Amino acid sequence: MSLEPRGALWILAVVLAMVVVSPWAFGAVDAEFEVVVYWGLALVLCLWAARILLEWQLVWARSSVAVCLAGLFFAGVLQMTPLAEPVVARLAPGAASWYGEFLPERPEVLLEAASNSEIDTQAGSTISIYPHVTRMETVRYLAVFLCFAAVLNNIAGAQSLRRLSIVAVINGAALSLFGLIQFFS
C-alpha cells in the first residue's frame, strides 16, 4: 500500500509517462513533440489544481532549486522587456553596440499590407538581441519550473524517486539498445 495520496499517484504516472515518451520523440525538440510535452505538463498542473481543490490546502515546499528556476524565468522576462536606449547601453553594452552597428539610422517603413501585423517590440529596445528565441527559452524555463514545483510539492518521496530512477534507467537502456541497433544496421 502506497503512502501517497491517489492524486499524487496520477501526477506521478503522467510525469513518468513524459519521462518515457519525450526522449523517444527525438528529445522532444521538434515543435509537434514539444507540444505533447506541454500538454503533459498542463495535465500535471490540472491534476495538482484538482488535488488542491479536493484537499482544500496548498502545500508548497521551500526549495533553493525552485528559486533558481524562477530566477532563470524572470531573467528571460527582463531580457525581453523594452527599455530606453541608455538603460540598454548600461545593462548590456555589447547588445547596444550591436544595435548601433547593425540597425539602420531610420526605422524601415512597412508596406500597407504588412503593417497590419503587430511588431512585438521596437528593434534595439531589449537586452536580448533575438527576442523571439529568448521568449521561446523563457517559456521552456517556466515549464521546467512548473514541472519541478508540481513534482516537489506532490510526489517528492523516496518511493517516487525510486520509481522515477527505475523508469529512467530502463528507458535509457532501451534508448541505448535502439541506438546500437540503428548504428550497426
Side-chain angles (χ1 to χ4, degrees):
M1 180 84 173
S2 176
L3 298 175
E4 298 170 359
R6 180 172 280 158
L9 291 177
W10 282 106
I11 294 172
L12 177 64
V14 174
V15 169
L16 290 177
M18 288 171 41
V19 166
V20 170
V21 171
S22 63
W24 287 96
F26 302 108
V29 294
D30 293 331
E32 59 268 9
F33 300 120
E34 193 172 353
V35 166
V36 172
V37 173
Y38 287 142
W39 277 105
L41 178 61
L43 181 58
V44 167
L45 294 175
C46 287
L47 289 170
W48 186 18
R51 182 174 178 206
I52 290 170
L53 291 174
L54 289 174
E55 295 177 0
W56 206 244
Q57 69 176 358
L58 171 65
V59 177
W60 186 265
R62 294 180 183 206
S63 168
S64 57
V65 175
V67 171
C68 290
L69 291 172
L72 282 172
F73 169 72
F74 287 117
V77 170
L78 175 67
Q79 288 183 16
M80 294 182 302
T81 303
L83 303 169
E85 277 186 45
V87 176
V88 172
R90 185 78 154 152
L91 293 176
S97 70
W98 276 43
Y99 288 145
E101 186 175 339
F102 293 115
L103 288 179
E105 301 262 339
R106 294 180 306 154
E108 296 176 352
V109 178
L110 300 176
L111 298 175
E112 230 176 279
S115 66
N116 292 338
S117 63
E118 288 187 30
I119 298 175
D120 291 346
T121 58
Q122 183 178 355
S125 65
T126 62
I127 294 174
S128 174
I129 298 291
Y130 197 178
H132 174 70
V133 172
T134 304
R135 184 177 305 108
M136 289 184 350
E137 288 302 314
T138 302
V139 167
R140 289 178 183 142
Y141 289 143
L142 177 62
V144 169
F145 168 72
L146 292 173
C147 186
F148 180 81
V151 168
L152 178 67
N153 293 302
N154 289 288
I155 54 174
Q159 287 181 333
S160 299
L161 184 58
R162 180 169 293 132
R163 287 184 202 120
L164 178 63
S165 300
I166 290 170
V167 167
V169 166
I170 292 170
N171 197 36
L175 282 166
S176 300
L177 181 63
F178 177 74
L180 288 171
I181 291 170
Q182 196 174 29
F183 178 76
F184 288 115
S185 63

